[in-house]
Amino acid sequence: MPEPEPEPEPEPEPEPDSEPGTESGLVAEPEPVPVTRVVDHGTAKLLPDVDRPRAWLLTVDGAPQSYVDLDAPTHLEFEYARRLAHVLDTRALPGRPLDAVHLGGGALTLPRYLAATRPGSGQDVVEADLALLELVAEHLPLPAESGIRLHGTDARAWLEAAPADSADVIVGDVFGGSRVPAHLTSDAYARGVDRVLRADGVYAANLADGAPFDFLRSQLATFAACFVELALIAEPAMLRGRRFGNAVLVASHAPLDVEALVRRARADAFPARVVHGGELRSLVGSARVVRDGDAVASPEPPGGAFSVG
């Protein structure tokens, strides 16, 4: 007799559904969302970069202040930050730790860069906006044992209290909104920088100006009165007066490695020029040293020059 037909095998029970938008039931990390907070000197925003998972743009009152990629601290988005980093890179042999002071904190872009490129560096970051420091520390925490110390106080007051001959490099990147404060532009401030730097130390400052460069020329004259060596790093279009922009002032008593600065500045995505020697003296022209009594903040940028949104 014919064999009976086999009983059908039971159908397998369906697998439990995965979490929406995930594979294998794994829970996806939440998308980063903008953070807005009123700080001591305005309204700060942390804006996530949609192209880099843990990268953030910091703005204060609409003006971009810093860009940080927590996964890639050596990634410097802003041209002026790369130019400041060129000064740090040429200050000493690669990898050698430095004692650094950063006047102006923002999102701590350059302190993170220096900690990554020169491990073991001791760094002091001075930021007058304590609430801004707290916001950054909360949402963009520093790596463990970074060697970065945070100080919530005025830059000039901190300099005046700092030990003499204690820093290899001082970075000046202090902006109240989009302007360098007046009390950080005088010869008294420059002498304070000189006092804290070691004999072969270097000062690098992020400044902003446009033609006819009255502010920039006055800053060059002021630091030329205190330091033997001076250089300026800026885009050619800015130096020709075609647009308002950033320029990095470099000052030291020791010879600057101008050739290395030139190579690095030329290799950037937006190449810059290094002005030095006679060309720099011609740029300074008849500009006078700034005293405390006649110090003014850097000029207000033209509408939209330094704004987001």
Side-chain angles (χ1 to χ4, degrees), residues 114-142:
L114 195 63
T117 58
R118 297 181 179 275
S121 294
Q123 303 188 72
D124 289 288
V125 178
V126 185
E127 170 58 60
D129 195 323
L130 184 57
L132 180 62
L133 275 183
E134 292 171 348
L135 171 68
V136 170
E138 177 183 345
H139 291 276
L140 309 176
L142 290 167

Side-chain angles (χ1 to χ4, degrees), residues 238-283:
M238 187 264 188
L239 291 171
R240 293 192 198 104
R242 293 181 180 175
R243 69 177 187 86
F244 191 97
N246 296 92
V248 170
L249 179 155
V250 188
S252 180
H253 288 295
L256 298 171
D257 193 344
V258 175
E259 290 185 3
L261 289 174
V262 168
R263 288 195 303 270
R264 291 170 182 269
R266 283 178 177 170
D268 281 340
F270 294 92
R273 288 189 58 220
V274 179
V275 183
H276 182 255
E279 186 181 4
L280 186 66
R281 288 189 290 274
S282 296
L283 176 60

Side-chain angles (χ1 to χ4, degrees), residues 103-104 126-128 153-160 174 183-184 189:
L103 304 177
V126 185
E127 170 58 60
T153 189
D154 175 75
R156 184 160 160 182
W158 190 92
L159 268 184
E160 290 170 351
V174 182
H183 72 298
L184 303 182
Y189 166 72

